[in-house]
Amino acid sequence: MTTRWLTPQEQRAWRAYIASVALVEDALDRQLQQEAGMPHLYYSILASLSEAPERRLRMTDLAERLKITRSRLTYAVTRLEKDGLVRREDCRWDKRGSIATLTDEGMRVLERAAPGHVETVRALLFDRLTPEQVGQLEEIFTAVGEGFQGDSAHATPEDVPWRRRSPKSCS
């Protein structure tokens, strides 16, 4: 099989993407750590729960929404639980599942953190783009995300993080 090397333009685009993602994620983490005492992932969990009906989501649905593995989500939710920001409950209709619920304290923390976070997102990304570029960005990343996930009915567990199983540990 012949390797399809990147063209010079593709290589520049790829490197610009990688650099930008790293810089944006670092800046968001620093801003949220300084202003809210939490990493970006924890903020994203609180924000996702705040948008869900009754501020509750099944853990597997939350992992899918955040595009992370279930084990990474479990670790993060356990930390948020210890801080009283999230509560976990057994799922009544699926004994294997559990539900994450945003507590009132978690909502207050999110409401305090949101203005600074939104301002940082705006300054890092949207203030640098024209409205046309924002539309292009949405179109590009929607295509990338949909292509990566493929037909979810036929996707293998390795295709998307929230379906991956943790490797079994030796006991």
Side-chain angles (χ1 to χ4, degrees):
M1 184 156 116
T2 304
T3 301
R4 294 178 40 211
W5 297 106
L6 299 179
T7 66
Q9 182 181 19
E10 290 168 335
Q11 187 68 259
R12 287 190 306 273
W14 173 245
R15 289 188 177 162
Y17 164 78
I18 292 297
S20 295
V21 166
L23 290 169
V24 167
E25 192 62 36
D26 178 68
L28 291 175
D29 264 337
R30 279 186 293 111
Q31 178 269 323
L32 285 165
Q33 285 288 0
Q34 290 169 357
E35 295 182 21
M38 72 176 74
H40 187 220
L41 174 60
Y42 293 13
Y43 176 90
S44 297
I45 291 169
L46 299 180
S48 291
L49 289 173
S50 76
E51 297 165 353
E54 300 178 29
R55 301 187 322 203
R56 302 163 38 103
L57 275 174
R58 190 164 177 217
M59 290 283 285
T60 53
D61 296 334
L62 184 55
E64 181 174 353
R65 194 176 278 199
L66 296 169
K67 310 295 185 239
I68 62 173
T69 62
R70 290 174 289 184
S71 62
R72 185 171 181 210
L73 176 65
T74 297
Y75 178 82
V77 167
T78 298
R79 289 289 315 272
L80 291 167
E81 253 186 317
K82 287 178 183 172
D83 293 339
L85 307 180
V86 172
R87 183 178 61 251
R88 205 170 351 190
E89 306 163 1
D90 291 333
C91 181
R92 289 186 299 265
W93 62 90
D94 180 357
K95 297 299 178 197
R96 297 173 297 149
S98 62
I99 305 289
T101 303
L102 182 65
T103 65
D104 290 341
E105 178 60 19
M107 190 67 186
R108 284 190 289 276
V109 167
L110 178 64
E111 288 171 341
R112 284 192 304 270
H117 175 68
V118 170
E119 187 54 40
T120 302
V121 169
R122 182 166 297 293
L124 292 172
L125 187 62
F126 296 108
D127 288 350
R128 300 168 192 252
L129 302 175
T130 65
E132 181 182 62
Q133 289 172 318
V134 171
Q136 291 168 344
L137 188 69
E138 178 186 8
E139 185 179 328
I140 289 165
F141 286 112
T142 297
V144 170
E146 288 173 354
F148 188 80
Q149 293 179 80
D151 179 359
S152 59
H154 297 98
T156 66
E158 290 74 34
D159 290 338
V160 288
W162 57 91
R163 289 191 177 159
R164 291 184 194 139
R165 298 254 183 244
S166 299
K168 298 203 190 263
S169 59
C170 299
S171 324

